[in-house]
Amino acid sequence: MDPICAIGLASAVVTLIDVATKVAKRVKELSETGDIPDVFRDIKTRLPLILSVVARTQNETQNLSLEAQESIEEVVRQCSEQAAQLHEILKKVVVVQGDSRLKKTVKAGVSLVEEKRVQRIAAGLRDNVQLLTFLSVAPVEKKEPKLVSFSVRKNSVPLPSYASATGLFIVPFARDVHFIGRSSSLQSITKNFESQNRVAIAGMGGVGKSQIAIEYCYRYKEAKPDAHVFWVYGGSIARFYQAYKRIAQQLDLPGWDDPEGSILELVSSWLSSTQDVYLLVIDNADNIEHWWPGKYKSGASLDDPSKDLSKYLPSEREDSYLLITTRDNRVASRLARTGKPIPVQPMSEVEASSLFLSKLGYERSSIDEGEVHALLKELDHLPLALSQAAAFIQENGISIAEYTAALQGKEAEEFLQEELDDARRDEDSINSVYRTLKLSYDQIKKQKPRAAELLCLLAMLDRQSIPKTLLKHVLEVTTSLGVLQAFNLVTSRAGQKTFQMHRLVQSFVRISLERDHTASAWQENALACVSGDYPTEIGVGQWPECDTLAPHVHIVTGYEYKTPEARLNLAHLLCWAADFDIERGIYDQALQRAKSSLEIFRELVTEDDERLAAATWLYGRLRYYLAQCANDTDEATGLLEKALSTAKYPSLTYGETAFELAHLYYYQGNKKRCLAMGKASFLCWNDIEGPNAARTLDNMHDYALELALLGHEDEGIAMWQEIMERCPGSDASDNTKTVFTYRSMAGIAEFQDDAGMAEIFYANLVGISETLYYPEHIHVLDYRLSHAEQIMRQGKLEEATQLSKAILTSSSGHSEWRICAGCLQTVAECCRLKASYIDELEYRLRTLEVHEKNLGRDHRDTVDVLHGLADCYLNAEKYPEAEALYQDIISWRSTEIGSTHVDTLRATECLGVCHLYEGRNEEAEAAFIDVTEKDTSPAARLVHNLCVALHDQGKWELLEIWSRKLYDSDDGYQFRALWSRMQALEQIGRTAEASEVRMSFLALDPPDAEARQAWLVPEKPPTRVDRRFGRMIHPRTWSA
């Protein structure tokens, strides 16, 4: 700073402080005489703020340009002149001891006359203070591409010397220049990190854990400039996800911006494998259910209960450090693992006194030590309470003794009846904090009612990271936020773009509103803010906005609303939020929200309302995604059919409902309805957006795939050819047109049994989709798996196995689990074709585990996987295991899809084969007879197996009958049929007929006797190998 400027500014500040102090004294004297005009009352409350701003300005001028320093000096001189004018006016109106009644009357009259002049001076002071604030926080132009700061604090400091270091610094708080003490806690953290990678500090709320962690971050960065420092809020799953996403973005990790990728897995993997040195802080890891939901889950939370945040913390390695702050010692002990948590206690007398005075801005020599001691005792040395007390005293210009007396007075005793449910807090500590909050809140209501109203609104949102954009319709929001920040009830982050409030502040306001019976009104206001700001059409571009609002959606959707307007607002917000949950793969939470939304719409709107149709479609869609049994699927079918009947044509709801129904009918085996809905979906989009629109072509592809899979290969191929003809005139991007073309060519090749050409086209799809997305994107993984399947169909089993295993590694932990299941099933099939049954068994079991985890044991897909596992046991000659599984499969299928369904009959035949190998011929016969009675055209293989069972039992008459049927059923079994019939006729004494059969047998040039012994061995049914349904394995996402 220029020396001359420094002297001039210092002189101006001294003059202003001197005059302003005299003015404050005069105003106080005036107020003691009784009621005073509002303008003088305003001056009384603003003078402490003016002095605070001036003092801060003087401390921060070293960061400013010479021109700005000169401007500040001029503004300070103007403030001094205005304060001097006020002093002169106040000398005329302040009543002093000894004044006569007449003189008092005259002074009262003068105060009325001078009121307008005082108003003009006060307005000028306000303008100058705002200008000073702007000048003092104006940013300094520096090149700092890697240093990330998200907050401008009241006591900001110059950028540290490591601003140009290579390591990231993602800590959303500026360093506190008034940080006091805590040396033992900081030393303990440093010492513990010498022998362990994880350290936890634990203590009750408001004790200063986060402030210790912030200070440690800055000290760590000073010691290791090139190390990364990351800050993660661990108090909620949504905020934990947001912080990890910010880390991924700042590190520019591949795939950080993919809407379907797993940010938590991405960042966790990087933290566990990087060679970079870093410090990771997990702040406010207070909710034990978020870290070990399986053990401590209580239900009732909209947070995804399947999330276990502990598994997303990095594994321990050299040069990586994890610092945890929490109120819960259980969390601290388990997350820190080997080391004991470091307890954080309330401040010592010396530390608390220093902190209080630094916040107050007073010198120790100017205060009464006894008054300070009494106040510290009343506040239990808690940093939060001390900071709030200092803010209150500063803002209101009262003494420390007056503040302490107010805490002990009758008005302060009207505190909350309910305490925070935390065994680690003693009762007095809680009461002291709440008393401070009540005094602050009451003063704000008197001074600026709009600020008190804003505090009520903020208290009904998530207390962390409240975006200012959410408050754009709030009146006087800027000045109201200024008042709330002055009282330390809210603090700014990310350069005044987001705000937060302490948990105790939020709790106090909420319970106060409950006592005043106004909480429901403020809950409705909060809901209106969030629903009014939430995107109504959600795509990848809206992800950041939805991420920001996610914690607030979680809060406001948890309230109970009574008015129809509020409940409709809630229903809309639940629908939009559920749609976003689907894109993130949080299906359980999406299902709860969709169900609640549907119930509200059913109650409040008419049957023909399009909103009811959309909500019904959304809920039915989710019921289908999460169906675990036939009843669930039937319910989903009913919901989607209801939505289709209600939706207007053409509309998005109609088109998407038809799309979902096509998929559902396919898995139900309803071919006719599947094709009808597939066609309806693509025709709907054709009518909405035109024949060449991207979404029309996308739906055409789905319909072509349905046609091909359901036996109409020629029609499907024709439609794929039509898609390729339409592509040049489409409104889709060039890359999307290329995808449509390759996808169509791959489909044509695959259904013409040209696996070699299909392999080429899928390889091209993999290449182009990797440029459009990234290697682990859902579409890329899907095309890679289809590519591996085509290689397998060509008999290149080892190559297909290696490709599938590579995809399996890439898709591990992906939100779309069916990719992982498809890889496991492909590897298992390759093992089967190589007759490597032990290896096959491993992958069949892993496939089953994935299905049971995501669909449950009783889902149709899971039962199909069980059938593959049973076949593997049969091939591996593990007959008891195979038998047990076949019996379970038959039982389930008989109940859910019918005893005559082809899959049920195949399982029954397999059970009979299993009995044959075990020598239980009578049971095998019963199984085979059961199938023949239910299947009007039993396969020749089945009849042959029945003949084997009859032969081994010596049931010659029945064998003669069934061998004759076998002869008539299939030319490939003529030798076996004639030989079996010949033996049966000989055994029952019909020698003449036996001789005729023998002549026919010999005329066919039969194989030798050794080969004929193989005819007594049962034949296993062929393994069922289904084609995957391509894009239908995952929810609707517009690749175009």
Side-chain angles (χ1 to χ4, degrees):
M1 181 176 181
D2 183 74
I4 297 178
C5 283
I7 294 172
L9 180 58
S11 175
V13 170
V14 169
T15 302
L16 174 56
I17 292 176
D18 179 62
V19 178
T21 302
K22 294 178 181 178
V23 171
K25 182 179 178 181
R26 290 291 187 181
V27 172
K28 182 179 179 181
E29 292 172 357
L30 180 61
S31 64
E32 289 174 350
T33 63
D35 290 337
I36 61 174
D38 289 341
V39 65
F40 291 102
R41 198 183 307 277
D42 185 59
I43 291 293
K44 177 184 177 183
T45 58
R46 289 185 180 276
L47 274 176
L49 179 61
I50 293 170
L51 293 174
S52 175
V53 170
V54 170
R56 185 183 64 187
T57 300
Q58 187 178 21
N59 289 336
E60 296 177 350
T61 51
Q62 63 265 32
N63 288 331
L64 302 177
S65 64
L66 180 61
E67 183 180 355
Q69 295 169 17
E70 292 174 348
S71 299
I72 288 177
E73 181 181 352
E74 178 59 30
V75 174
V76 171
R77 292 189 190 282
Q78 291 180 15
C79 288
S80 298
E81 293 175 1
Q82 292 160 343
Q85 294 174 21
L86 284 174
H87 186 239
E88 291 301 319
I89 294 173
L90 287 168
K91 284 197 299 185
K92 299 178 183 177
V93 301
V94 173
V95 177
V96 298
Q97 189 173 4
D99 281 349
S100 64
R101 181 179 297 177
L102 176 61
K103 199 165 186 177
K104 291 179 181 178
T105 304
V106 171
K107 287 186 176 181
V110 171
S111 69
L112 294 174
V113 173
E114 296 285 1
E115 185 172 359
K116 289 186 177 180
R117 184 183 172 197
V118 173
Q119 287 177 343
R120 289 195 299 272
I121 296 171
L125 269 175
R126 284 196 298 270
D127 292 342
N128 282 330
V129 169
Q130 291 176 358
L131 183 57
L132 279 175
T133 303
F134 169 78
L135 289 171
S136 64
V137 299
V140 183
E141 294 184 2
K142 288 189 176 183
K143 294 182 179 180
E144 38 190 65
K146 283 289 186 179
L147 184 64
V148 182
S149 178
F150 300 95
S151 176
V152 176
R153 282 291 186 90
K154 181 176 179 180
N155 294 310
S156 59
V157 296
L159 291 173
S161 59
Y162 49 79
S164 61
T166 58
L168 294 177
F169 189 70
I170 307 180
V171 177
F173 306 98
R175 194 171 192 174
D176 187 359
V177 296
H178 296 303
F179 185 81
I180 301 296
R182 301 301 197 183
S183 58
S184 61
S185 297
L186 292 166
Q187 290 170 4
S188 296
I189 295 173
T190 302
K191 182 178 180 181
N192 286 10
F193 272 143
E194 292 174 358
S195 58
Q196 62 197 65
N197 294 94
R198 292 187 175 192
V199 173
I201 58 176
M204 60 182 175
V207 79
K209 302 179 296 295
S210 298
Q211 297 304 314
I212 293 172
I214 293 168
E215 178 64 19
Y216 185 82
C217 287
Y218 280 90
R219 296 189 182 188
Y220 180 89
K221 188 65 174 177
E222 288 175 343
K224 299 182 179 180
D226 293 329
H228 301 302
V229 179
F230 304 122
W231 187 279
V232 174
Y233 179 78
S236 75
I237 292 176
R239 294 291 313 289
F240 187 95
Y241 174 88
Q242 283 182 311
Y244 262 46
K245 187 168 186 179
R246 177 169 290 166
I247 292 172
Q249 180 182 6
Q250 293 299 320
L251 290 169
D252 198 21
L253 298 182
W256 73 266
D257 56 349
D258 173 59
E260 295 177 353
S262 173
I263 286 292
L264 299 181
E265 290 282 1
L266 181 66
V267 176
S268 175
S269 176
W270 184 89
L271 291 171
S272 299
S273 61
T274 182
Q275 297 302 310
D276 293 358
V277 180
Y278 67 82
L279 168 68
L280 172 65
V281 177
I282 306 296
D283 186 41
N284 285 333
D286 299 330
N287 192 337
I288 200 167
E289 295 176 18
H290 293 167
W291 302 94
W292 302 280
K295 183 174 182 180
Y296 296 99
K297 176 184 172 185
S298 63
S301 175
L302 274 181
D303 281 333
D304 183 7
S306 68
K307 293 294 186 184
D308 177 354
L309 294 186
S310 64
K311 69 181 181 182
Y312 297 114
L313 296 182
S315 56
E316 297 183 33
R317 66 170 188 78
E318 188 175 359
D319 290 329
S320 68
Y321 303 98
L322 177 60
L323 178 61
I324 302 121
T325 76
T326 178
R327 295 164 51 189
D328 194 328
N329 277 310
R330 295 174 301 171
V331 176
S333 297
R334 294 191 64 180
L335 288 184
R337 294 182 178 172
T338 57
K340 292 183 178 180
I342 299 172
V344 180
Q345 302 295 341
M347 286 182 155
S348 66
E349 174 82 8
V350 174
E351 289 178 334
S353 176
S354 299
L355 174 66
F356 175 70
L357 294 178
S358 69
K359 296 290 184 182
L360 201 58
Y362 289 3
E363 294 293 333
R364 187 172 296 275
S365 59
S366 64
I367 53 94
D368 186 322
E369 291 285 355
E371 292 180 356
V372 174
H373 176 77
L375 179 58
L376 298 183
K377 183 178 179 180
E378 184 70 15
L379 297 178
D380 294 327
H381 299 173
L382 287 177
L384 173 63
L386 295 170
S387 298
Q388 290 171 338
F392 188 92
I393 292 170
Q394 271 192 328
E395 186 73 13
N396 294 278
I398 64 174
S399 69
I400 298 173
E402 288 172 331
Y403 185 87
T404 305
L407 282 178
Q408 298 170 341
K410 293 181 180 180
E411 182 179 354
E413 290 299 324
E414 190 183 352
F415 54 88
L416 302 173
Q417 298 298 320
E418 296 183 33
E419 304 291 356
L420 290 178
D421 186 17
D422 188 339
R424 291 166 303 283
R425 281 186 188 277
D426 65 68
E427 184 176 355
D428 291 335
S429 295
I430 295 173
N431 289 342
S432 298
V433 174
Y434 275 85
R435 291 173 190 170
T436 302
L437 289 170
K438 188 178 188 310
L439 287 172
S440 300
Y441 179 65
D442 289 345
Q443 180 60 30
I444 290 173
K445 284 201 297 185
K446 292 179 182 178
Q447 175 190 328
K448 190 171 180 63
R450 294 285 189 198
E453 293 170 2
L454 177 60
L455 187 65
C456 296
L457 175 63
L458 298 180
M460 294 304 171
L461 300 168
D462 182 82
R463 66 183 187 84
Q464 295 279 353
S465 290
I466 303 169
K468 193 173 182 180
T469 55
L470 199 59
L471 311 174
K472 54 179 173 283
H473 299 301
V474 176
L475 298 176
E476 302 177 25
V477 64
T478 301
T479 54
S480 295
L481 284 170
V483 171
L484 297 180
Q485 290 180 84
F487 277 91
N488 288 330
L489 295 181
V490 300
T491 55
S492 66
R493 304 179 67 179
Q496 301 287 329
K497 292 182 180 179
T498 61
F499 298 86
Q500 65 177 7
M501 64 166 53
H502 192 277
R503 181 182 292 103
L504 297 179
V505 175
Q506 183 186 55
S507 178
F508 165 79
V509 176
R510 286 182 174 183
I511 299 175
S512 295
L513 295 176
E514 289 287 350
R515 294 176 66 194
D516 295 339
H517 306 291
T518 56
S520 59
W522 286 111
Q523 290 167 356
E524 291 187 8
N525 287 339
L527 173 66
C529 281
V530 177
S531 62
D533 204 47
Y534 205 89
T536 56
E537 292 188 11
I538 300 171
V540 177
Q542 285 72 45
W543 266 63
E545 188 175 357
C546 294
D547 272 333
T548 299
L549 293 175
H552 308 291
V553 172
H554 170 66
I555 294 297
V556 300
T557 55
Y559 299 133
E560 292 186 8
Y561 301 97
K562 296 181 180 179
T563 66
E565 180 182 3
R567 300 195 69 212
L568 284 174
N569 268 343
L570 174 63
H572 286 115
L573 181 59
L574 286 168
C575 268
W576 301 327
D579 202 17
F580 181 53
D581 289 336
I582 292 172
E583 294 205 23
R584 293 191 298 172
I586 309 177
Y587 299 136
D588 288 333
Q589 180 168 287
L591 180 67
Q592 295 178 44
R593 287 173 166 170
K595 181 180 181 182
S596 299
S597 176
L598 178 59
E599 290 172 348
I600 295 171
F601 280 126
R602 280 175 172 170
E603 178 185 345
L604 298 178
V605 303
T606 59
E607 284 289 327
D608 59 348
D609 195 297
E610 186 73 10
R611 293 173 295 179
L612 179 59
T616 306
W617 157 69
L618 179 63
Y619 183 56
R621 173 190 184 192
L622 285 159
R623 290 291 294 169
Y624 166 44
Y625 290 166
L626 298 176
Q628 296 189 7
C629 62
N631 289 337
D632 292 344
T633 305
D634 290 343
E635 182 180 351
T637 305
L639 287 164
L640 290 170
E641 289 175 344
K642 175 67 174 177
L644 191 73
S645 66
T646 308
K648 297 177 182 179
Y649 183 91
S651 66
L652 182 148
T653 301
Y654 189 96
E656 289 296 86
T657 303
F659 172 86
E660 300 293 352
L661 279 170
H663 288 209
L664 193 152
Y665 289 139
Y666 173 81
Y667 285 117
Q668 287 180 326
N670 191 334
K671 299 179 181 180
K672 184 177 180 181
R673 292 294 292 162
C674 171
L675 294 177
M677 288 297 97
K679 184 176 182 179
S681 177
F682 114 75
L683 289 177
C684 180
W685 285 110
N686 184 83
D687 292 344
I688 294 174
E689 298 189 349
N692 297 331
R695 290 200 278 196
T696 303
L697 298 180
D698 205 22
N699 279 266
M700 280 185 70
H701 169 75
D702 288 314
Y703 183 45
L705 186 59
E706 292 154 10
L707 285 168
L709 285 167
L710 296 176
H712 302 275
E713 290 90 347
D714 292 341
E715 294 178 57
I717 289 171
M719 184 155 285
W720 276 318
Q721 291 172 337
E722 185 177 350
I723 291 173
M724 290 189 289
E725 292 172 1
R726 291 191 187 187
C727 272
S730 173
D731 61 354
S733 66
D734 290 341
N735 283 331
T736 302
K737 292 177 186 178
T738 304
V739 169
F740 287 166
T741 301
Y742 280 143
R743 201 165 59 179
S744 299
M745 295 171 75
I748 292 171
E750 186 172 350
F751 284 93
Q752 287 181 341
D753 293 323
D754 191 344
M757 289 302 298
E759 175 195 346
I760 294 172
F761 294 129
Y762 279 121
N764 288 332
L765 280 169
V766 170
I768 191 171
S769 59
E770 282 182 337
T771 63
L772 290 174
Y773 308 107
Y774 66 97
E776 286 76 34
H777 191 277
I778 182 68
H779 294 311
V780 180
L781 296 175
D782 193 16
Y783 295 141
R784 287 175 64 189
L785 184 53
S786 295
H787 177 240
E789 289 171 346
Q790 301 311 311
I791 292 174
M792 178 186 70
R793 292 191 177 106
Q794 296 175 69
K796 296 183 283 188
L797 302 180
E798 191 59 37
E799 182 180 353
T801 299
Q802 294 306 315
L803 286 173
S804 298
K805 287 181 177 179
I807 303 167
L808 187 62
T809 301
S810 300
S811 64
S812 178
H814 202 286
S815 60
E816 185 41 72
W817 60 270
R818 286 183 176 87
I819 288 287
C820 176
C823 292
L824 292 169
Q825 200 140 340
T826 302
V827 176
E829 184 62 18
C830 288
C831 293
R832 184 189 70 82
L833 293 172
K834 292 186 292 185
S836 300
Y837 300 126
I838 301 302
D839 293 335
E840 179 192 358
L841 180 59
E842 174 192 347
Y843 286 96
R844 295 289 182 193
L845 288 170
R846 290 176 63 184
T847 306
L848 177 62
E849 181 183 359
V850 172
H851 277 79
E852 286 184 332
K853 176 182 177 182
N854 292 279
L855 296 178
R857 182 81 173 187
D858 293 331
H859 193 279
R860 178 174 178 175
D861 289 355
T862 307
V863 174
D864 290 342
V865 173
L866 276 173
H867 199 148
L869 177 60
D871 288 347
C872 180
Y873 280 131
L874 181 60
N875 291 330
E877 301 181 0
K878 296 179 179 292
Y879 303 123
E881 292 88 343
E883 177 187 347
L885 285 179
Y886 285 134
Q887 288 175 340
D888 289 344
I889 293 165
I890 294 167
S891 175
W892 186 92
R893 285 177 174 167
S894 297
T895 302
E896 299 296 334
I897 61 178
S899 61
T900 61
H901 193 280
V902 61
D903 289 341
T904 309
L905 297 178
R906 184 182 175 281
T908 305
E909 181 185 358
C910 289
L911 178 62
V913 171
C914 193
H915 288 326
L916 272 182
Y917 278 111
E918 292 179 296
R920 296 156 60 183
N921 298 305
E922 188 172 352
E923 293 174 74
E925 175 193 351
F928 296 141
I929 291 294
D930 183 36
V931 176
T932 60
E933 291 174 351
K934 295 173 180 175
D935 189 349
T936 56
S937 301
R941 177 198 66 254
L942 172 68
V943 179
H944 162 71
N945 287 333
L946 175 58
C947 289
V948 173
L950 295 171
H951 178 278
D952 290 347
Q953 294 178 82
K955 294 185 176 181
W956 307 113
E957 292 182 356
L958 286 175
L959 177 59
E960 191 276 332
I961 295 171
W962 282 103
S963 60
R964 194 180 332 127
K965 291 181 179 180
L966 178 61
Y967 181 85
D968 295 335
S969 66
D970 193 316
D971 291 343
Y973 286 84
Q974 283 185 344
F975 282 125
R976 306 182 193 197
L978 289 171
W979 186 70
S980 295
R981 188 180 178 210
M982 178 182 66
Q983 286 190 315
L985 289 170
E986 289 176 348
Q987 291 294 330
I988 60 180
R990 294 161 60 181
T991 55
E993 293 178 70
S995 297
E996 292 180 10
V997 173
R998 180 179 294 276
M999 294 297 293
S1000 300
F1001 178 74
L1002 294 174
L1004 294 174
D1005 191 20
D1008 57 27
E1010 184 178 349
R1012 290 199 293 270
Q1013 289 300 315
W1015 295 344
L1016 295 176
V1017 177
E1019 287 190 9
K1020 301 169 185 175
T1023 300
R1024 170 180 154 177
V1025 180
D1026 292 329
R1027 292 181 186 270
R1028 291 187 318 109
F1029 208 151
R1031 286 185 63 242
M1032 293 194 174
I1033 66 168
H1034 55 86
R1036 180 63 129 187
T1037 54
W1038 293 114
S1039 61

